[in-house]
Amino acid sequence: MTEHRTRRLAGLDGLRAVAALGVLLYHAADWSGRPGRFAHGYLAVDFFFCLSGFVLAHAFERREIGWPTYLWIRVVRIWPLLVLSTLIGAVLTSRHSPPFWPNLARGLLLVPRLGHPAEWTFPTLFPFNPPAWSLCLEVIVSALWFPLRRAPDLVVAAIVFCCGVVMAWAALGLNGVETGWDQATFWLGVVRAAFSFGLGWLGWRYRALAPRPRLGLAAVVLLTVLVMPLAPGRPWNGLYDFACVAVLFPLLVLIGANNPQGPAGALCRTTGDLSYPLYATHWATWAVMLRLYPDGWKPLLPVWFPALAVVLAPIVAWVAFRLYDAPVRRWLRAWNPATKAISTG
């Protein structure tokens, strides 16, 4: 295979890190009994989907590789930290999430736990690693995207439009787009992921029309949108969510799609390397902290507890990245020599 390298878009790495921080703040507040603080951190998932569509199109739309090689690249990127977080969750929560072995096998293989939940219940898709739901949706959509990656613009636009109609209906009906993480709404989650992924894909096709890069502005706007203290559940919250997903996030991706040099570039690359480890391990970090907390779990934890989590989670992510994720991914890449010549940026 001829080596084919794509220019790394370090600016998008930096924005990915901002989105990961938004998720961490949202969950730290929610899990500690303070829902509504950093209220729209869940929208970071939609930003991740959009970013994924842009980056994968940038890396693979014009590249001559086979579908199996592409899928192996995705496995190498996602699987090591998925396994680590799932195993930690299985050890810590096995008594609360029976049956143990089927749930563990599904979690390690990223197969969602589907079924027919009881009315008004919303069981998680991955009981040993709840955040894995978004990874599952991204893998599904990105795998289906590959054979369609060179579809005409009109076909891409039609897919995005149809998904957008469904998401507009969901956003207005549910007063937001926070859906897809449970058994009852899994298939709506697939549409959610496909919509944002498709917008990123289209954005890459028309990147020449993008405004001049303003990475600092894009980072500030993204973090502001994610921590905006609008209370979910209000009727206008759905309009806010849909506007962010359909308009703002694709624009921010286009604005951030550059490769800054110097200290700014180094910061983007370093924080970008930690963004996925932070997302993948922050729930496991929280679960371990709860087991070590001397007073036991309470519906309202003291404010120092989530504050400590916000400090510890990036440290754990860095350790996991350096000592586990990076070495394991190098080992997995060695199984398929074709992947050694591929840089996804």
Side-chain angles (χ1 to χ4, degrees):
M1 174 180 290
T2 302
E3 183 173 359
H4 183 144
R5 295 187 179 274
T6 52
R7 182 171 63 95
R8 179 170 182 174
L9 302 174
L12 295 183
D13 290 340
L15 292 182
R16 185 185 292 111
V18 172
L21 175 60
V23 171
L24 176 61
L25 292 173
Y26 171 70
H27 280 155
D30 190 52
W31 294 340
S32 65
R34 297 169 177 84
R37 308 285 180 88
F38 311 114
H40 288 89
Y42 59 84
L43 289 176
V45 171
D46 301 276
F47 184 80
F48 289 144
F49 292 148
C50 185
L51 194 65
S52 182
F54 189 97
V55 170
L56 291 180
H58 174 70
F60 295 110
E61 183 167 304
R62 296 177 177 175
R63 181 168 284 157
E64 296 296 337
I65 65 170
W67 200 6
T69 300
Y70 166 78
L71 294 176
W72 183 248
I73 292 171
R74 303 303 296 148
V75 168
V76 170
R77 180 72 182 98
I78 292 172
W79 191 66
L81 285 171
L82 171 74
V83 169
L84 177 64
S85 299
T86 300
L87 290 177
I88 293 173
V91 170
L92 295 178
T93 66
S94 59
R95 295 182 180 180
H96 307 291
S97 303
F100 177 81
W101 292 111
N103 284 339
L104 178 60
R106 281 191 288 260
L108 293 176
L109 297 175
L110 204 57
V111 176
R113 182 183 60 170
L114 300 177
H116 300 285
E119 190 174 6
W120 304 111
T121 63
F122 301 92
T124 180
L125 296 168
F126 297 95
F128 294 149
N129 186 17
W133 69 271
S134 64
L135 302 179
C136 175
L137 295 180
E138 195 273 345
V139 167
I140 291 172
V141 172
S142 63
L144 295 176
W145 164 81
F146 186 80
L148 299 173
R149 69 192 189 281
R150 293 171 182 163
D153 290 358
L154 186 60
V155 173
V156 180
I159 294 173
V160 172
F161 176 79
C162 292
C163 292
V165 169
V166 175
M167 287 311 301
W169 167 80
L172 296 177
L174 300 174
N175 296 326
V177 300
E178 191 180 11
T179 188
W181 54 269
D182 62 284
Q183 291 184 18
T185 63
F186 171 76
W187 295 109
L188 185 57
V190 174
V191 177
R192 177 184 179 183
F195 180 48
S196 290
F197 187 99
L199 286 169
W201 181 16
L202 268 183
W204 186 82
R205 292 267 182 102
Y206 291 93
R207 62 197 179 280
L209 303 177
R212 184 178 177 182
R214 288 286 188 273
L215 183 58
L217 176 62
V220 170
V221 171
L222 177 59
L223 186 59
T224 301
V225 165
L226 297 180
V227 303
M228 186 68 68
L230 297 178
R234 301 291 180 85
W236 32 262
N237 192 74
L239 293 174
Y240 179 88
D241 281 8
F242 188 76
C244 289
V245 173
V247 180
L248 182 61
F249 289 170
L251 180 60
L252 293 180
V253 168
L254 288 173
I255 293 174
N258 63 95
N259 190 29
Q261 303 300 312
L267 178 63
C268 287
R269 285 183 285 272
T270 300
T271 56
D273 285 340
L274 293 182
S275 59
Y276 173 58
L278 178 59
Y279 183 81
T281 63
H282 75 284
W283 180 84
T285 300
W286 182 271
V288 172
M289 289 178 62
L290 281 179
R291 297 310 182 277
L292 299 177
Y293 182 51
D295 294 335
W297 181 84
K298 298 178 180 179
L300 181 63
L301 294 167
V303 69
W304 65 263
F305 192 91
L308 180 61
V310 171
V311 174
L312 286 181
I315 296 174
V316 172
W318 182 83
V319 173
F321 169 71
R322 293 297 299 272
L323 301 184
Y324 168 74
D325 184 44
V328 171
R329 284 195 285 127
R330 283 195 296 269
W331 178 68
L332 289 173
R333 280 196 294 267
W335 283 18
N336 188 341
T339 65
K340 294 181 179 180
I342 295 177
S343 171
T344 59

